[in-house]
Amino acid sequence: MSTLAYKILQEHLVAGELMPGGETTIRIDQTLTQDSTGTMVYLQLEAMDAGPVKTELSVAYIDHNTLQTGFENADDHAFIQSVCARHNILFSKPGGGICHQLQLENYGVPGKTLLGSDSHTPTGGGLGMIAIGAGGLDVAIAMAQGACALTVPKVLGVELKGALRPWVSAKDVILHVLKALTVKGGVGRIIEYYGDGVKALSVTDRATITNMGAELGATTSIFPSDENTKRYLEQQGRGDAWKPLAADADAVYDEELTVDLSALEPLAAKPHSPDNVDSVRAVGPIEIDQVCIGSCTNSSYADLMKAAAILKGRKVHPNVSLVISPGSAAILSELARNGALADLIDAGARIIENACGPCIGMGQSPKSGAVSLRTFNRNFKGRSGTNDAEVYLVSPETAAISALTGVLTDGLSAHAALGIELPPIPEPAPGAFRRENAFVVLPPDLPAGAALPDVVMGPNIKPFPRGTAVREGDGISGSVVLVAGDNITTDDIMPSDSRLLPYRSNIPHLAEYCFEKIDAAFPARAKEAQAGPAQGGVIVGGENYGQGSSREHAALVPLYLGIRMVLAKSFARIHRANLINSGILPLVFAEPADADTIKEGDVLVLELAHTQLAEPQVVIQNKTQGAQYRMANGLTGEERKMILAGGRINLIRGEA
Ligand code: MIC
Ligand code: SF4
């Protein structure tokens, strides 16, 4: 009766019981990091005095901060490469492609576990892996110990029926699911896809869907491993990595949703949230300024071949800038060999590096007030680097046809009148993708006892902040620095774009921009609170606080600014873990309405922290208003120790 997710988790169970809400430890077979979270991961790995990694495979990718407009990014790359050589980690150079696409192509294996310091790590679920995104410290610990802690999620089964029509694609499937479940609908859940419709989706289609499961807040998403999986692995020259995997026929899901693929039509997520979904038809033919095709969601070989087929022999509209960032060097090289690259260029596409690029605001920011159609996964306000841009998330088919017409266009209903056909894209032959891996640097084979190569650190790399332990009898206090609404993203907390990404290893610099887009005075107020009588700050949030990225910077920067607690109506999973790892206490209002009564400047105290945090509920005193609030204390035993030690590194190093 087991779901596929629980079968894989059961095989990897090191401690605990596999039941929803249970605290377990699971074995981690593979890890990945990318550069913008990676510098912190490797500073933390070094701080743990770890030896060679305990995983089967760990890879460090450089794909986010690849614009080298100064020495900072290049220094970070050199730092990461030097640490890789010390701990037996593969290093993937800039230009190789986007971490999730590369992991899928080169290393993904059905039935294995993968932990990655990026929220879109669940892309691996397209190959039948349990692939989970986490904060950097959790990934560093998984490398050092070969395992990680996991609160067992429920399993939401999505039954897929039928098959997609041409001009409708995997992106529309996940946008449909996002509309149904919302950006917090997946919290505490694994989304498992099954049913007849699965066989109509290729591995890269499935990876698009599991990738954007991150936008549901899900722990991960997973598809079975079947004949399509086998063919995909054979195309990558890795057919021997295949094994069939599926849920038992009588598997029981905790919750269920059914999607009829044949009834779907092209969809778009409107500004500024991935769940603000409507049909392209309903949004209508709005004029567009920019189209971006790429990102870890939609930059596969098939995605780009579809775009090339639509654009072939035609011209991008005069008012549109079309930007294409392929997912990997192997894909780009195949497009170059089969002529599709020439079709794209001849149509007027700007081909940029195989990297995250515009998805994380690393260049290609649209003009003021622009409408930008993107095949990406997040359209949070300002993420493109242009604060007043209107970003719509769409499929590659919708993006490509709209690039030609200059308006948002529904290919399904409009292609015939426009005379644009979308021929079926032939699957690549087995072994089609080149396997030279020219972008991968293998770690040196260090003989036992040999001296480790040196860590190379540029001047922009600053130590990460550490919290202070809470003494027995003491409380945790702070004055309220910010009262925020629902669905605050980590992009809101710690914005990232081409200006700020070079400073991912420089917390003091980033601190000046914390909450910049919501309240530019936040850093100054937080510092004042830190120096004031309450000796710290508190943030009050609404539902789903900290959704989005896995960036630890959204916790480490507030820690640096003296934030001691975040009180919210609910938290996103990875951000909550990052707060705890940093020693910032996350508490959930037992009465959500209490959150709306708290004012900026109120002094809040959790008295007798050691005693109270041992109980399932704690009481926060509002010293300014004379009120008190009951808060749910969801900390596990281990998490409580981290908070009291002033963070997980302190706990590991015994410096509590
Ligand atoms: C993102 O898509 O938001 C990022 C940039 O890939 C982040 C990681 C980061 O902030 O470095 C993520 O998804 O975790
Ligand atoms: Fe990179 Fe964008 Fe994917 Fe994040 S979502 S990993 S920035 S491509």
Side-chain angles (χ1 to χ4, degrees):
M1 312 211 322
S2 185
T3 61
L4 172 55
Y6 274 31
K7 282 189 192 181
I8 301 175
L9 288 174
Q10 186 63 50
E11 268 179 24
H12 288 81
L13 201 61
V14 176
E17 211 186 322
L18 201 58
M19 51 188 293
E23 297 308 325
T24 60
T25 305
I26 59 163
R27 200 174 71 247
I28 293 298
D29 301 321
Q30 303 184 347
T31 62
L32 70 78
T33 60
Q34 41 88 336
D35 48 334
S36 68
T37 54
T39 47
M40 282 300 144
V41 176
Y42 296 112
L43 284 170
Q44 290 163 336
L45 189 68
E46 288 296 332
M48 281 187 273
D49 300 325
V53 292
K54 299 271 179 15
T55 51
E56 292 171 7
L57 173 92
S58 288
V59 191
Y61 295 95
I62 307 293
D63 55 359
H64 282 63
N65 300 351
T66 58
L67 277 189
Q68 291 159 227
T69 48
F71 62 88
E72 294 87 354
N73 287 337
D75 277 7
D76 282 353
H77 304 168
F79 163 68
I80 293 175
Q81 183 165 4
S82 73
V83 176
C84 286
R86 292 162 59 83
H87 300 283
N88 203 28
I89 299 167
L90 274 64
F91 177 74
S92 173
K93 289 157 74 173
I98 306 173
C99 57
H100 307 302
Q101 181 66 40
L102 289 173
Q103 188 78 12
L104 200 72
E105 286 176 4
N106 299 308
Y107 308 113
V109 178
K112 296 269 181 194
T113 54
L114 165 69
L115 196 75
S117 68
D118 188 280
S119 66
H120 291 105
T121 303
T123 312
L127 265 180
M129 300 181 80
I130 287 285
I132 302 178
L137 180 53
D138 288 309
V139 177
I141 289 171
M143 282 192 264
Q145 300 177 354
C148 79
L150 178 77
T151 306
V152 181
K154 295 190 234 178
V155 184
L156 189 160
V158 179
E159 183 182 8
L160 299 178
K161 292 185 165 160
L164 295 168
R165 294 176 283 176
W167 296 97
V168 186
S169 74
K171 179 59 142 263
D172 302 307
V173 178
I174 187 63
L175 289 177
H176 173 85
V177 175
L178 268 154
K179 183 175 184 165
L181 301 178
T182 80
V183 288
K184 58 185 170 89
V187 177
R189 294 167 175 81
I190 294 177
I191 317 288
E192 181 167 316
Y193 293 86
Y194 69 99
D196 260 13
V198 166
K199 62 177 183 300
L201 298 172
S202 67
V203 164
T204 51
D205 288 339
R206 298 172 188 179
T208 294
I209 295 170
T210 58
N211 171 287
M212 273 190 87
E215 276 52 69
L216 296 164
T219 303
T220 189
S221 303
I222 187 166
F223 272 85
S225 166
D226 58 9
E227 287 300 313
N228 295 1
T229 321
K230 184 165 182 252
R231 277 204 313 286
Y232 175 81
L233 287 168
E234 284 168 355
Q235 287 155 13
Q236 305 302 326
R238 300 198 295 120
D240 53 355
W242 182 72
K243 65 170 176 180
L245 288 174
D248 290 335
D250 57 355
V252 178
Y253 293 97
D254 299 305
E255 292 158 343
E256 295 201 50
L257 181 75
T258 303
V259 179
D260 179 1
L261 299 177
S262 46
L264 293 181
E265 60 176 316
L267 301 174
K270 298 179 289 184
H272 297 285
S273 179
D275 63 357
N276 189 16
V277 173
D278 216 332
S279 68
V280 169
R281 253 181 332 117
V283 179
I286 50 169
E287 281 185 19
I288 58 174
D289 304 283
Q290 184 188 50
V291 174
C292 300
I293 302 180
S295 91
C296 57
T297 318
N298 277 119
S299 60
S300 66
Y301 171 77
D303 286 341
L304 300 188
M305 286 299 289
K306 281 189 269 184
I310 295 168
L311 292 162
K312 185 175 178 157
R314 303 187 168 89
K315 254 194 197 166
V316 170
H317 189 275
N319 297 343
V320 174
S321 173
L322 170 64
V323 176
I324 296 186
S325 41
S328 74
I331 294 171
L332 181 59
S333 133
E334 183 58 21
L335 297 179
R337 269 175 284 130
N338 72 15
L341 180 61
D343 295 336
L344 294 168
I345 296 170
D346 291 347
R350 304 167 66 180
I351 311 295
I352 60 169
E353 194 171 20
N354 312 310
C356 299
C359 177
I360 188 58
M362 263 302 198
Q364 314 300 325
S365 298
K367 72 178 189 193
S368 297
V371 172
S372 176
L373 300 189
R374 299 179 160 213
T375 65
F376 306 167
N377 46 38
R378 292 185 173 145
N379 58 346
F380 303 143
K381 192 168 167 51
R383 182 176 160 102
S384 66
T386 303
N387 213 26
D388 60 1
E390 305 261 294
V391 176
Y392 290 74
L393 306 176
V394 297
S395 69
E397 290 89 330
T398 304
I401 194 166
S402 304
L404 294 173
T405 58
V407 294
L408 179 63
T409 303
D410 170 14
L412 185 62
S413 56
H415 76 275
L418 292 166
I420 302 177
E421 289 308 319
L422 177 53
I425 305 297
E427 280 209 23
F433 294 100
R434 297 201 167 173
R435 306 242 50 83
E436 286 88 9
N437 280 344
F439 289 86
V440 173
V441 181
L442 298 176
D445 201 3
L446 295 172
L452 293 180
D454 287 340
V455 177
V456 176
M457 272 215 210
N460 183 45
I461 302 180
K462 304 280 187 252
F464 57 89
R466 308 262 288 264
T468 41
V470 184
R471 285 174 313 193
E472 194 73 50
D474 277 2
I476 303 178
S477 64
S479 63
V480 176
V481 187
L482 184 77
V483 179
D486 291 345
N487 293 320
I488 290 292
T489 70
T490 50
D491 285 77
D492 294 326
I493 304 169
M494 195 54 256
S496 269
D497 53 26
S498 58
R499 253 177 341 144
L500 296 180
L501 276 163
Y503 297 97
R504 281 296 185 95
S505 39
N506 185 342
I507 298 288
H509 181 88
L510 285 184
E512 297 309 314
Y513 303 89
C514 190
F515 281 107
E516 186 194 26
K517 295 198 175 98
I518 290 189
D519 182 350
F522 176 88
R525 267 206 317 281
K527 283 183 197 159
E528 222 173 274
Q530 190 175 21
Q535 294 178 0
V538 178
I539 295 170
V540 176
E543 298 283 0
N544 201 23
Y545 181 85
Q547 68 159 329
S549 149
S550 66
R551 68 189 68 138
E552 280 172 309
H553 306 75
L556 290 172
V557 167
L559 171 69
Y560 176 82
L561 290 170
I563 299 300
R564 308 287 313 277
M565 298 189 272
V566 181
L567 315 182
K569 295 181 186 171
S570 64
F571 287 91
R573 175 184 62 91
I574 306 178
H575 184 61
R576 176 183 173 278
N578 286 339
L579 288 172
I580 296 169
N581 283 344
S582 308
I584 299 177
L585 176 61
L587 292 173
V588 174
F589 288 96
E591 298 297 335
D594 285 346
D596 309 324
T597 65
I598 300 178
K599 302 264 174 303
E600 205 180 288
D602 285 0
V603 173
L604 306 184
V605 186
L606 172 84
E607 285 166 352
L608 297 172
H610 279 254
T611 323
Q612 286 214 62
L613 288 177
E615 302 299 328
Q617 279 207 347
V618 301
V619 173
I620 291 279
Q621 310 282 344
N622 185 330
K623 297 285 178 192
T624 312
Q625 296 192 25
Q628 55 182 41
Y629 316 114
R630 279 184 308 113
M631 309 292 301
N633 160 30
L635 299 181
T636 64
E638 209 44 36
E639 288 174 342
R640 174 175 173 268
K641 285 192 212 154
M642 293 178 207
I643 292 291
L644 295 174
R648 192 166 186 184
I649 289 276
N650 290 354
L651 188 66
I652 293 172
R653 295 185 63 106
E655 291 167 13

